[in-house]
Amino acid sequence: VIASAATRAGFDALWAELSPVGRDPRTGGYRRFAWTRADAELREWFVATATVRGMQVEVDRNGNQWAWWGTPGPGAVVTGSHLDSVPGGGAFDGPLGIVTAFLAVDHLRASGVVPARPLAIVNFIEEEGGRYGIACLGSRLMVGAVDPATALALRDDNGDTLGDTIGVDPRGLGPDPEALARIGAYVELHIEQGRALDREGAGIGVASAIWPHGRWHFCFGGEGNHAGTTRLEDRRDPMLPFAEVVTHVRALAERYGILTTVGRVRVDPNGTNAIPAQVDAWLDARGAEAALVEEAVRELTSHAHAAGSGRGVRIDVQRESWTPAVDFDATLRSRLLLALDAAGTSAPVLPTGAGHDAGILASVVPTSMLFVRNPTGVSHSPEEYADDSDCLAGADALATVLEDLLLRAEAPA
Ligand code: GLV
Ligand code: MN
Ligand code: MN
C-alpha cells in the first residue's frame, strides 16, 4: 500500500509538532508524565489538531480527551492511544496511535466517506503509570477497575497526590458508563514492542491477546546509620535483602518461564556514606499464564521475608495492580483481517506482553489492536523506532478498518 502524498505530508507535520515536547536533548528520550507541563502541551496539541479539523473535543470525568467526527453518541467507532510516556521513553509508544488516527480521519474525509456512525479519537491519560504508578489509569478508572479514592491518593515521586495535581474535578473521578456506552468498538494502533513482525517480514499486525501482568511494591525498612562507624554486625541494611530479591526474581523468572523486571528503585536517603533507612522497589511481572506469575510472586515474597528477617529488615509487599489475560474480540478481529485483506494487506495475528488501554476496554467493549513493525524491537527507550513507510502503512491500515466499521449500519461487532 502506498500512502497518499497528503498522508505523508500530514504525518511529517504532526510528527514534527510532537517531537520537541518533553524531549531530553541529552538522551533524546521523552518524559511526558500525566498532568505535567509536557502533558499540558500535548493536550493542547490534541485540542488544536482536532479543532482545525472541525472535530469537537471533550474531556471525560477521568481526564481522557475525546475528539469527535460527527455527533457524540452510541455505536461510535473509537480509536486513539495515549500521549504520556515512561521516563526516558521513545517517540512512538502512544503518539503513533493518535497521529495515525488523525491521518486516517483526514484520509477518509478526503475520500468522501460519509460515516453511518460517529467516530472518536481518544487520548487516554496516564497510560504508562509513569507518574502515579498504575498503568492505564484513565481507562481503568473509566471501567471501574480502580477505585477513585485509591487513585486520588496515589503519590508521585515528589509526594504529590493525583488529587493534588489532576486537571479535572477530582469529585467526578470514577466509572463512566455514559462514555463507555458510546463506544461501539475500539481499535488502537500501536508500535510493536518486540520483533515478531520484523521476523515475519510484515509491516502491520493484528493483536490476538495480552499477557496477564502486574506490579508489586516491595518495601525494605532498615535503619539509617553511618557508613564509617557502624559495625557490620550492628547494621540493619535494607539494601542487602533488596539485592537478594533482585537476583532471586531473575532465577524465578527462568524457572517459571515468565518475565520479571525491577526497573524502579528508591533509596532513602540515597547517600554514599549512609546505610539506607529504606529501599523501595517495584516489580513488574508478566507471563503467558497468570498462575505461574502469581506463584513466582508468592515465592519471591516469602524469600524477601526470609532475607529481611535474618538482617533485621522489615519487609512489606503490596500488589499495586493486576491485569488478567486479555483475549481481544474474535469477531472484530475477523472483520479487521477481512478489511485489510481486501485492501491487499496481509497482517499476521500475534499476542503481546505489553499492556494497553485497549486491554482494559476489552473487558467491556469489542476491542482490537493494530501493530506497526518495530525493526529493532526496542521500546520504552529513546532507541524505539519505526520506519516512516511502516507508520504510513499503519495510517492506511487504520483508515481501512475504520472505514469498514464506519460504513456498516449494524453494530460494529
Ligand atoms: C505499557 O507499555 C506496559 O506494558 O508497561
Ligand atoms: Mn508503553
Ligand atoms: Mn503504549
Side-chain angles (χ1 to χ4, degrees):
V1 184
I2 306 299
S4 70
T7 301
R8 194 173 292 267
F11 181 76
D12 290 345
L14 296 182
W15 211 248
E17 288 165 13
L18 286 177
S19 283
V21 185
R23 186 169 182 272
D24 179 341
R26 196 173 51 84
T27 62
Y30 287 94
R31 188 182 184 89
R32 293 166 164 172
F33 281 7
W35 305 120
T36 60
R37 229 191 14 233
D39 185 49
E41 231 181 286
L42 294 162
R43 291 169 70 84
E44 281 165 24
W45 171 87
F46 184 89
V47 172
T49 305
T51 305
V52 294
R53 288 163 172 78
M55 299 175 80
Q56 179 190 328
V57 177
E58 285 178 358
V59 178
D60 70 22
R61 53 194 306 161
N62 295 301
N64 307 305
Q65 292 178 299
W66 301 70
W68 289 89
W69 177 22
T71 309
V77 174
V78 181
T79 185
S81 194
H82 60 98
L83 293 174
D84 70 314
S85 77
V86 294
F92 296 82
D93 177 357
L96 186 62
I98 292 187
V99 165
T100 52
F102 281 116
L103 298 179
V105 167
D106 291 349
H107 177 75
L108 295 177
R109 289 169 131 181
S111 324
V113 168
V114 182
R117 53 188 64 257
L119 176 145
I121 300 175
V122 61
N123 168 28
F124 283 108
I125 192 86
E126 182 72 342
E127 191 271 351
E128 300 286 8
R131 182 163 184 191
Y132 303 103
I134 297 187
C136 300
L137 190 60
S139 55
R140 277 188 216 271
L141 281 163
M142 186 162 92
V143 305
V146 176
D147 169 55
T150 306
L152 288 168
L154 293 171
R155 285 182 194 279
D156 67 11
D157 279 340
N158 292 325
D160 295 323
T161 64
L162 175 66
D164 297 331
T165 46
I166 195 169
V168 291
D169 184 351
R171 292 167 303 183
L173 225 62
D176 195 344
E178 293 84 7
L180 284 171
R182 298 189 304 200
I183 308 177
Y186 179 64
V187 180
E188 177 170 351
L189 178 145
H190 205 279
I191 185 170
E192 199 208 342
Q193 296 170 290
R195 276 197 58 218
L197 291 175
D198 190 61
R199 280 194 299 269
E200 299 211 26
I204 304 294
V206 177
S208 55
I210 298 181
W211 277 9
H213 55 281
R215 295 182 181 190
W216 288 261
H217 177 189
F218 281 68
C219 178
F220 303 84
E223 183 181 57
N225 213 332
H226 196 289
T229 59
T230 317
R231 299 186 311 166
L232 293 180
E233 57 268 42
D234 293 337
R235 297 182 180 208
R236 292 169 46 211
D237 185 349
M239 194 64 87
L240 300 172
F242 158 70
E244 279 185 36
V245 159
V246 172
T247 48
H248 190 66
V249 79
R250 169 63 189 237
L252 288 171
E254 286 168 17
R255 171 145 37 101
Y256 284 93
I258 62 172
L259 295 177
T260 62
T261 305
V262 180
R264 179 177 167 216
V265 182
R266 194 162 60 209
V267 181
D268 185 36
N270 211 22
T272 304
N273 53 356
I275 298 159
Q278 185 168 312
V279 174
D280 291 274
W282 283 265
L283 169 71
D284 178 309
R286 316 180 186 214
E289 279 188 52
L292 293 181
V293 176
E294 285 163 342
E295 185 50 36
V297 174
R298 256 196 302 278
E299 223 182 283
L300 182 67
T301 303
S302 17
H303 188 87
H305 282 285
S309 68
R311 304 181 184 280
V313 173
R314 292 179 318 278
I315 307 291
D316 182 53
V317 181
Q318 301 287 338
R319 190 178 81 181
E320 291 194 336
S321 61
W322 173 252
T323 311
V326 172
D327 283 309
F328 287 113
D329 190 90
T331 311
L332 183 60
R333 177 164 62 246
S334 305
R335 280 193 54 172
L336 260 60
L337 289 167
L338 276 175
L340 290 172
D341 193 53
T345 304
S346 79
V349 175
L350 56 145
T352 179
H356 299 284
D357 295 303
I360 305 300
L361 292 188
S363 63
V364 253
V365 293
T367 299
S368 201
M369 289 191 76
L370 296 176
F371 291 132
V372 168
R373 169 166 48 198
N374 177 333
T376 63
V378 172
S379 188
H380 285 182
S381 153
E383 308 304 322
E384 180 184 79
Y385 177 73
D387 274 329
D388 277 7
S389 57
D390 286 333
C391 295
L392 296 172
D396 278 352
L398 185 61
T400 298
V401 305
L402 294 177
E403 176 174 4
D404 177 61
L405 296 170
L406 285 170
L407 292 181
R408 308 253 178 152
E410 82 272 19

